[in-house]
């Protein structure tokens, strides 16, 4: 029996951070054994908000792909490709467009929120169509499972509605995909808010030890714990959040030390920084192989693209056949 297909991707916004690593890639790594996985870089999606400056897109695609592999995805097991290298997705987008009432798109939370936050410039046709493009990313591969963060759930809901509409008019072609949420949906940044490039609170997968030490030192701890000796609440502490990941054997001891006041934040941070540097070392070592030879990345993406196009072409044919256009 063929394996169930998984599809997910990220926009090429630059080097990835620990929020991406634990919030997404770790989840993808788990899935690569049991599913047929397509992991892409969504450069068309990046354009919907960053069309004014396309200077870095190509390099950012490479950087994201390096982080995918450094984070544990195996190019022998997964198919990596760049969205814009699979034009069949755009053709499918054209076929889907008439099925989507504009009101559905205007209601999408990310559309409304981002315009409020980033300005009217985003109120463009491409950004409005973001969820339709994402739908085509998924259905072009007949993917059934889509590992994403919580923020993407409304997009997936819309995807299913579009699929149902297609089936209503033309007959069954696509599976209705469902989301698979990650174990760590809200990785905090060093300021305690969700880790995000736009908040400038990230620790990058590729940060060197000096940067890691500096950022861990800046991490927000329990504001009630001012001096060593004050009892702290680990549940509101970013350092503690990451201790769970990087010092899992010591967390109960750390919890005890913090709540009793015996453990000070400085010592806590030092032990985290050390463990984080150690934990990221093998990831960065793997990354270095590709940094030194980016041609390897280009080759992996070219191979992936070939495979992806073959799959998308088949689906496109199925869709056109259902629409009696072939
Ligand atoms: N919108 C997703 C994000 O910002 C990225 C993305 C684009 C995606 N196409 C996709 C994710 C298809 C899953 C499936 O994170």
């Amino acid at each position: 029996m063929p394996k169930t297909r998984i599809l997910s991707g990220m926009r090429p916004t630059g080097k990835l951070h620990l929020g991406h690593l634990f919030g997404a890639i770790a989840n993808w790594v788990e899935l690569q054994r049991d599913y047929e996985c397509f992991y892409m870089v969504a450069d068309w999606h990046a354009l919907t908000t960053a069309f004014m400056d396309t200077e870095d897109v190509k390099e950012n695609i490479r950087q994201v792909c390096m982080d995918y592999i450094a984070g544990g995805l195996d190019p022998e097991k997964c198919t990596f490709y760049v969205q814009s290298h699979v034009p069949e997705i755009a053709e499918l987008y054209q076929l889907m467009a008439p099925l989507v009432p504009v009101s559905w798109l205007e209601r999408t939370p990310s559309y409304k929120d981002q315009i409020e936050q980033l300005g009217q410039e985003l109120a463009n046709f491409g950004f409005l169509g973001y969820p339709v493009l994402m739908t085509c990313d998924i259905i072009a591969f007949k993917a059934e499972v889509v590992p994403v963060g919580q923020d993407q759930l409304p997009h997936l809901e819309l995807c299913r509605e579009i699929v149902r509409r297609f089936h209503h008019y033309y007959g069954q072609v696509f599976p209705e995909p469902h989301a698979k949420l990650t174990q760590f949906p809200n990785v905090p940044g060093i300021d305690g808010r969700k880790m995000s490039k736009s908040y400038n609170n990230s620790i990058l997968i590729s940060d060197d030890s000096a940067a890691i030490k500096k950022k861990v030192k800046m991490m927000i701890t329990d504001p009630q714990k001012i001096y060593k000796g004050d009892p702290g609440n680990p549940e509101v502490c970013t350092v503690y959040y990451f201790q769970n990941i990087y010092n899992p054997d010591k967390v109960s001891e750390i919890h005890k030390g913090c709540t009793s006041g015996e453990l000070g934040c400085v010592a806590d941070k030092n032990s985290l920084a050390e463990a984080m540097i150690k934990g990221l070392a093998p990831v960065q070592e793997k990354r270095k192989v590709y940094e030194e030879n980016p041609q390897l990345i280009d080759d992996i993406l070219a191979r992936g693209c070939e495979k992806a196009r073959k799959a998308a072409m088949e689906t496109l044919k199925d869709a056109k056949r259902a629409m009696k256009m072939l």
Side-chain angles (χ1 to χ4, degrees), residues 7-11 40 42 45 83 130 133-134 137-138 146-148 151-152 155-156:
L7 184 132
S8 198
M10 286 182 199
R11 284 166 295 137
M40 54 89 159
H45 276 112
Q83 183 184 36
Y130 190 110
L133 182 55
M134 188 163 152
D137 287 333
I138 298 165
V146 185
V148 282
D151 59 321
Q152 300 295 314
H155 294 152
L156 247 101

Side-chain angles (χ1 to χ4, degrees), residues 125-323:
F125 184 40
F127 191 50
L128 183 66
Y130 190 110
V132 186
L133 182 55
M134 188 163 152
T135 295
C136 294
D137 287 333
I138 298 165
I139 65 175
F141 298 90
K142 298 191 176 172
E144 288 179 54
V145 181
V146 185
V148 282
Q150 208 128 20
D151 59 321
Q152 300 295 314
L153 292 184
H155 294 152
L156 247 101
E157 193 49 54
L158 215 82
C159 170
R160 282 191 293 273
E161 304 223 24
I162 297 170
V163 166
R164 280 183 220 128
R165 268 200 140 198
F166 184 96
H167 293 161
H168 171 74
Y169 288 112
Y170 311 119
Q172 197 80 20
V173 173
F174 310 105
E176 275 185 36
H178 59 269
K180 188 164 176 40
L181 286 177
T182 58
Q183 199 188 343
F184 298 102
N186 287 310
V187 178
I190 59 174
D191 61 358
R193 294 186 290 173
K194 187 180 158 97
M195 190 178 284
S196 159
K197 187 179 175 181
S198 53
Y199 292 155
N200 222 347
N201 64 358
S202 317
I203 297 177
L204 300 180
I205 294 172
S206 48
D207 270 344
D208 63 16
S209 53
I212 291 172
K213 278 184 194 154
K214 188 171 141 212
K215 290 178 182 180
V216 170
K217 218 173 256 173
M218 286 162 67
M219 273 183 187
I220 300 281
T221 54
D222 177 4
Q224 307 285 342
K225 182 171 164 64
I226 297 165
Y227 303 109
K228 178 172 184 262
D230 293 348
N233 176 8
E235 303 311 324
V236 300
C237 174
T238 308
V239 179
Y240 185 71
Y241 183 95
F242 284 102
Q243 290 285 27
N244 278 287
I245 295 176
Y246 283 106
N247 266 325
D249 299 341
K250 293 193 200 148
V251 278
S252 59
E253 194 187 317
I254 292 166
H255 194 281
K256 223 165 90 202
C258 175
T259 46
S260 73
E262 233 166 285
L263 176 67
C265 296
V266 174
D268 190 17
K269 285 178 170 180
N270 286 341
S271 82
L272 174 64
E274 203 179 298
M276 196 180 266
I277 290 165
K278 229 196 219 152
L280 283 173
V283 176
Q284 295 179 348
E285 214 167 290
K286 204 185 279 174
R287 200 179 196 284
K288 207 161 154 226
V289 174
Y290 296 92
E291 285 166 2
E292 284 168 0
N293 192 355
Q295 186 60 42
L296 290 175
I297 292 290
D298 294 351
D299 292 346
I300 287 168
L301 287 172
R303 245 190 296 138
C305 170
E306 210 174 300
K307 198 167 156 213
R309 282 197 76 179
K310 217 178 266 170
M313 260 179 224
E314 260 177 50
T315 310
L316 189 59
K317 252 192 232 153
D318 292 345
K320 286 187 190 167
R321 221 176 272 129
M323 297 173 79

